[in-house]
Amino acid sequence: MSDVIQAGRDEPRWPPVVAILAVFVLLEVLPHHVYAMPRWVSYGVLVVAIAPMVMVTVSTDNAVWLRIERVAIMLLASAYAGNTAAELGDIIGIITVHPPETRSVSLLTSSFAIWITNVLTFSLLYWQVDAGGPSRIARGVARRPDWLFPQASAREFAPPDWRPLYIDYLSLAFNTATAFSPTDVLPLTQRAKALMMLESAISLLTLVLVAARAVNVIP
C-alpha cells in the first residue's frame, strides 16, 4: 500500500497546473472573446482547482487532498463544459441573427477559445476518470483502466513502472479534438467512449459551424 501511495504522490502536478494557467491566460488576452459567465466565476474556479493540486504536492499525508483535488477538477470541468455550451450558443446566435461581417474577429477568437478549453476540460476529465483517478491509485484501489495506452500492451517498450500521467491524457484529448476519433489510445469502457464522442462533437461543431463561417466572412 505504501508503495502505491508513494507512486500516486510522485506524479507531478505542475503539468496540469501549467495547462490550466496557460488556457486561462490565453482566454484573458484573446480580443473580442465572447464570455458566457461572469469573470469572477472564472477566477474562483481557477483558485478552487489549483489549490488542491498544490496541497497534494506539499502535503505529507495527501489522501484527503487527493479526494479534494478530484472534486475540484470535476467542478472545474463542469464549469468549463457549461461555459463552452453557453458560448457555442451565443456564437451560433451571432452567426444566425447578427451580421457576421461585423463580428469575424470575435467569431475566430471565440471559436479558438472554445476549442482549446475543450481540450483542457477533457484532458482533466480523462486524467481523473481513468481507473478511478490518481486518488484511487494513491489508496491502492484503482479500478480497471478506461483507456488502453500502447505502453500498457507493449511493456517491452516502456519502463517497468510506467503508468499514464496527465501529459498522456492531454495528448489523448488533443488527438480526439483534432482527429475526431481514437488514435493510439483505445477507449475500453462506455463512459470513455461517451466522453470522447462528446469532445469530438464539440470540436467538430466549433470548427465546422463557427470557425469555417468566420473565415468565410473575413474581407
Side-chain angles (χ1 to χ4, degrees), residues 98-175:
H98 301 285
E101 291 78 6
T102 62
R103 304 296 298 274
S104 59
V105 174
S106 177
L107 290 175
L108 278 175
T109 57
S110 296
S111 60
F112 179 72
I114 290 174
W115 190 87
I116 198 69
T117 303
N118 187 40
V119 172
L120 171 68
T121 299
F122 281 92
S123 69
L124 293 171
L125 281 176
Y126 298 157
W127 181 46
Q128 287 294 326
V129 166
D130 190 24
S135 62
R136 293 185 67 90
I137 293 175
R139 287 182 283 132
V141 289
R143 302 167 181 166
R144 290 185 177 181
D146 292 86
W147 284 273
L148 177 63
F149 288 85
Q151 294 89 337
S153 56
R155 286 292 183 178
E156 64 273 16
F157 299 109
D161 58 347
W162 182 91
R163 65 185 180 90
L165 303 179
Y166 172 73
I167 190 65
D168 297 292
Y169 298 105
L170 180 61
S171 174
L172 169 62
F174 179 85
N175 291 335

Side-chain angles (χ1 to χ4, degrees), residues 7-163:
R9 183 179 300 160
D10 285 344
E11 179 175 356
R13 263 23 182 205
W14 65 263
V17 170
V18 170
I20 293 173
L21 290 175
V23 171
F24 184 81
V25 171
L26 178 63
L27 297 181
E28 288 295 306
V29 301
L30 279 176
H32 308 296
H33 172 218
V34 173
Y35 286 94
M37 64 182 181
R39 303 288 284 276
W40 64 266
V41 176
S42 299
Y43 291 107
V45 172
L46 179 72
V47 173
V48 169
I50 291 181
M53 294 188 193
V54 176
M55 294 307 300
V56 167
T57 302
V58 302
S59 176
T60 56
D61 183 12
N62 60 7
V64 174
W65 286 111
L66 282 167
R67 296 188 184 96
I68 297 175
E69 175 190 67
R70 180 178 176 84
V71 174
I73 289 178
M74 292 301 181
L75 175 63
L76 173 70
S78 299
Y80 276 178
N83 186 66
T84 297
E87 287 184 351
L88 269 175
D90 287 344
I91 295 175
I92 292 175
I94 292 174
I95 293 175
T96 57
V97 177
H98 301 285
E101 291 78 6
T102 62
R103 304 296 298 274
S104 59
V105 174
S106 177
L107 290 175
L108 278 175
T109 57
S110 296
S111 60
F112 179 72
I114 290 174
W115 190 87
I116 198 69
T117 303
N118 187 40
V119 172
L120 171 68
T121 299
F122 281 92
S123 69
L124 293 171
L125 281 176
Y126 298 157
W127 181 46
Q128 287 294 326
V129 166
D130 190 24
S135 62
R136 293 185 67 90
I137 293 175
R139 287 182 283 132
V141 289
R143 302 167 181 166
R144 290 185 177 181
D146 292 86
W147 284 273
L148 177 63
F149 288 85
Q151 294 89 337
S153 56
R155 286 292 183 178
E156 64 273 16
F157 299 109
D161 58 347
W162 182 91
R163 65 185 180 90

